[in-house]
Amino acid sequence: MSGDRPTLPPVRLNSEAELARDALSAPLLARAVRLARWAGPETRVGAGGELVEEQLPAAAAELGLGDDQDAAAYASEAWRVAVETGLVDVEDTPGGDEDAEGTASAGDNLAVLTTGSPQDVLAIWADAFDVVFADAIAPMIDDFADLVGEDGEIDFERLEWDPEGEAEFLEGVLGNLYLLTVSEGGTPEGPVPLPALAASMIVPDDMGEPTDDILEQVSDAMMRLDDQFRLLEPIGLVEYEPVDEALMAEVGDEPAPPVDDEDVSRYGMVRLTPLGLYGVRARMLEAGVDAPAVGDLAGKGADALLDGIAYFPEVSARAETEQWLTRREPAVAAGELLAAARGGDAGGPLRRLHCQQALALTGAAAEPAVREVLPDPELGGLARVWLAERGASDVPPPSETMIFWLAIDTIAAQLAVEGDLEELQELVEGLVGQHSGFFDAAWRVDHPATADVLEAMGRLHPDKSTAKEARKAAFKARSRA
């Protein structure tokens, strides 16, 4: 059983049905669908599948873009998404003439959006996301003529464009946004200021006051991200409040990051939508990143549950456990949890802690399974706690050995999760105060974490003489081992 911590906090995703509805309502995909339905025998396309220039006004009109100065660009973008996602099929003119126009018709995936499953819809949306991502990392070309060499061919080296580097940067930004967006409860918090997001990619962790060079790099990154998030918003990935254009008029083309009490929202604010959380997580999983989601463990065994939630935030651990329990009869679930909680390995105390918390969510039907482990030296203590909390009768009192074993196990679990220091100190003080001669008995406890727990108690207890007793007991425990 692994005690490894997940790379990222668990995210609470909307259902696939809700996400599919969000995908279908994303403005860019909705436009692509309208153009796919509009395409027909009279639709003229170029050799690369793009709409010929003369067709763009009609496509823009179909989309209801009216007199928007960017109507042709929006129509061209939506058409490209339609082609790349299989909503439109393009056929070249027979003969292989590169200058000849081709034809277009509705693709098979157009019907999938209305008859397919939510997973099918999300797969098409993911393809659309890939198209937009590629556009977002493409180089900005101010004057195409500057790229044409003396031989009339395009000189791509003049772009000074590193596609892998650009992709890595944007992937990193989206990964950081994912981490900054997901709260301890696994759901989105408020929007993230664009300067903070840019700084997370540029400013070294160990840097105090950023240098002028670093601030300039952050400013450049902000402008690059401003352009990229404007592209990513229509596919439903983010909600984005762009950089205030008045700022660029005030300070030039590249606004410096905000300082002091300036209104940070003027510098851009961004958040991942629920669909965006799903999309970014899917890309991270494809890249091999450990990005858990609440519900991942619902169909697995109790051992996988207890190990999997070991380092989850409390709210997420409870939500995961509730989903796991809903799939099982309480008596069966209790038996499985108790069996999985056993073990003298380093992860054992945490498993037992989460087992106890999971049992707290079960009802009276779990009592027979709990009573069955009353004699068990590892589980008897938590079983008695569960029964006592429910006012059960005929609960045999624990032996002194079991009391002290449970005390060591409980503190070991709290140390493993690095819980609230004040609460841990109160726990240590309470245990020592409840039992006279605590350390004389504790160092003899046959638990693999005894020495480590006693050492920690020596660090945590505020009373110097008591702390010294704890350290002496830890030494005895190590010598005994």
Side-chain angles (χ1 to χ4, degrees), residues 196-217:
L197 190 57
S200 73
M201 295 295 296
I202 304 297
V203 181
D205 293 337
D206 57 354
M207 175 173 280
E209 188 72 20
T211 63
D212 289 343
D213 178 60
I214 289 293
L215 289 175
E216 184 176 350
Q217 291 181 51

Side-chain angles (χ1 to χ4, degrees), residues 39-121:
E42 303 302 316
T43 308
R44 298 159 54 201
V45 299
E50 75 283 1
L51 282 175
V52 298
E53 189 172 347
E54 293 82 4
Q55 287 268 248
L56 290 176
E62 176 65 23
L63 296 175
L65 296 176
D67 297 329
D68 191 313
Q69 63 179 359
D70 294 319
Y74 291 147
S76 179
E77 179 186 32
W79 180 262
R80 179 168 177 247
V81 168
V83 171
E84 295 292 338
T85 58
L87 301 178
V88 166
D89 283 340
V90 172
E91 291 187 15
D92 297 330
T93 300
D97 185 351
E98 292 185 2
D99 295 326
E101 294 178 357
T103 59
S105 59
D108 292 341
N109 278 349
L110 182 59
V112 171
L113 290 181
T114 54
T115 62
S117 67
Q119 295 97 318
D120 295 331
V121 172

